[in-house]
Amino acid sequence: QATASVLELNNIEVFYNKSVQALRGLSLRVEQGQIVALLGSNGAGKSTTLKAISALLALENGELTDGRIRFDGKPVSQKRPHELVRAGLFHVMEGRRVFEDLTVEENLVAATYALNGRQGLKPDFELVYEYFPRLYERRHGLAGYLSGGEQQMLAIGRALIAKPKLILLDEPSLGLAPLLVENIFQIIARINAEQGVSMLLVEQNASIALAISHYGYIMEMGKIVTDGSAGFLANDPDVREFYLGVG
Ligand code: ATP
């Protein structure tokens, strides 16, 4: 059967320190061009899932011990993180990891370093500033002096400038005021629609995530317990009670 999945996880298992099992046979897929939400409570294993995909587990003594991960039709195991970036997979980590001692523009340039050979050397600043005019205003300022919301914009801008096929987004709403979250999620939706980049979106804030997603998965204790279209999940009574905080 032909598939348009940009990402496919089959029964993956992850252990930390060879002892703590964080993922227990997790499967999910992201279809080409879609935003897929990965929801669930604290400690369910959402960040671990993203790290398994982008080959960052080893940094925390984590290990993929079973299952298969295919990105763009090819297995990701054996690949190093920078090779995955070059192949079009960009992970925006939790907590707005930007280089605080570099300017906004230098942060954007740095995000393209891993890409040499794929798109040449000239970073497309305009593309980022079109979505984040605020970053244009602050382009010569140090990233460390940006507000939390601006740093999140920069973290997403760094992904955008790498022109990936898939962006893994870990908790973009974390620590931001509701109005700003609203604003950033609208921009994420526009980037998806206009640039055609697929996204796997990890969020605590289930209702705002489902509002911009095509499909969603809910995980508990290291595996998927429910999945469905975003509209279906947003209207499901159990999902509403346990994850959206409405009964
Ligand atoms: P959160 O929203 O709190 O980040 P999460 O759903 O992203 O939650 P993970 O951070 O993936 O969950 O954690 C899943 C499980 O793996 C938890 O039991 C956690 O304690 C454990 N875990 C996560 N990181 C590590 C680590 N570096 N070393 C050991 N155990 C870890």
Side-chain angles (χ1 to χ4, degrees), residues 105-135:
E105 205 146 285
E106 286 165 349
N107 265 274
L108 295 174
V109 172
T112 65
Y113 281 173
L115 302 177
N116 295 350
R118 188 157 77 84
Q119 64 171 23
L121 285 168
K122 183 103 178 59
D124 189 355
F125 297 121
E126 300 308 313
L127 178 70
V128 175
Y129 298 148
E130 182 192 327
Y131 290 99
F132 301 107
R134 185 69 188 144
L135 292 182

Side-chain angles (χ1 to χ4, degrees), residues 16-17 22 41-48 60 94 171 204:
Y16 285 106
N17 307 312
S41 41
N42 256 319
K46 305 182 296 298
S47 299
T48 298
E60 298 180 37
E94 186 172 343
E171 302 259 5
Q204 291 274 349

Side-chain angles (χ1 to χ4, degrees), residues 48-65:
T48 298
T49 304
L50 298 191
K51 287 172 195 162
I53 298 165
S54 59
L56 294 176
L57 284 176
L59 299 177
E60 298 180 37
N61 208 15
E63 198 186 351
L64 183 71
T65 56

Side-chain angles (χ1 to χ4, degrees), residues 37-244:
L38 181 58
L39 311 171
S41 41
N42 256 319
K46 305 182 296 298
S47 299
T48 298
T49 304
L50 298 191
K51 287 172 195 162
I53 298 165
S54 59
L56 294 176
L57 284 176
L59 299 177
E60 298 180 37
N61 208 15
E63 198 186 351
L64 183 71
T65 56
D66 206 353
R68 277 192 317 137
I69 303 179
R70 291 174 82 83
F71 165 65
D72 206 19
K74 296 170 210 76
V76 303
S77 47
Q78 321 301 345
K79 286 225 166 74
R80 312 263 305 277
H82 70 274
E83 294 173 320
L84 290 171
V85 174
R86 198 172 296 175
L89 190 151
F90 203 104
H91 186 165
V92 179
M93 293 203 282
E94 186 172 343
R96 315 186 268 280
R97 310 276 181 90
V98 297
F99 298 115
E100 302 197 341
D101 299 331
L102 298 184
T103 67
V104 165
E105 205 146 285
E106 286 165 349
N107 265 274
L108 295 174
V109 172
T112 65
Y113 281 173
L115 302 177
N116 295 350
R118 188 157 77 84
Q119 64 171 23
L121 285 168
K122 183 103 178 59
D124 189 355
F125 297 121
E126 300 308 313
L127 178 70
V128 175
Y129 298 148
E130 182 192 327
Y131 290 99
F132 301 107
R134 185 69 188 144
L135 292 182
Y136 177 76
E137 291 165 22
R138 307 295 306 267
R139 67 193 181 282
H140 300 309
L142 291 184
Y145 291 139
L146 298 177
S147 70
E150 290 163 351
Q151 287 191 3
Q152 187 57 268
M153 291 174 188
L154 180 55
I156 297 168
R158 296 181 73 238
L160 181 58
I161 206 161
K163 301 204 168 143
K165 296 187 178 101
L166 175 69
I167 300 178
L168 310 176
L169 273 170
D170 201 347
E171 302 259 5
S173 78
L174 197 73
L176 304 183
L179 213 60
L180 198 53
V181 172
E182 199 63 44
N183 178 243
I184 285 181
F185 272 65
Q186 271 166 21
I187 295 169
I188 292 171
R190 267 185 63 208
I191 291 172
N192 164 257
E194 297 169 5
Q195 305 299 321
V197 45
S198 312
M199 301 183 184
L200 180 58
L201 169 63
V202 159
E203 255 301 330
Q204 291 274 349
N205 187 336
S207 53
I208 190 143
L210 289 176
I212 65 159
S213 295
H214 300 94
Y215 201 84
Y217 290 89
I218 295 179
M219 66 183 296
E220 281 306 332
M221 312 243 290
K223 58 171 184 265
I224 302 299
V225 292
T226 310
D227 67 301
S229 73
F232 170 82
L233 291 178
N235 288 303
D236 181 84
D238 286 342
V239 172
R240 288 172 65 81
E241 182 177 349
F242 294 114
Y243 301 99
L244 304 182

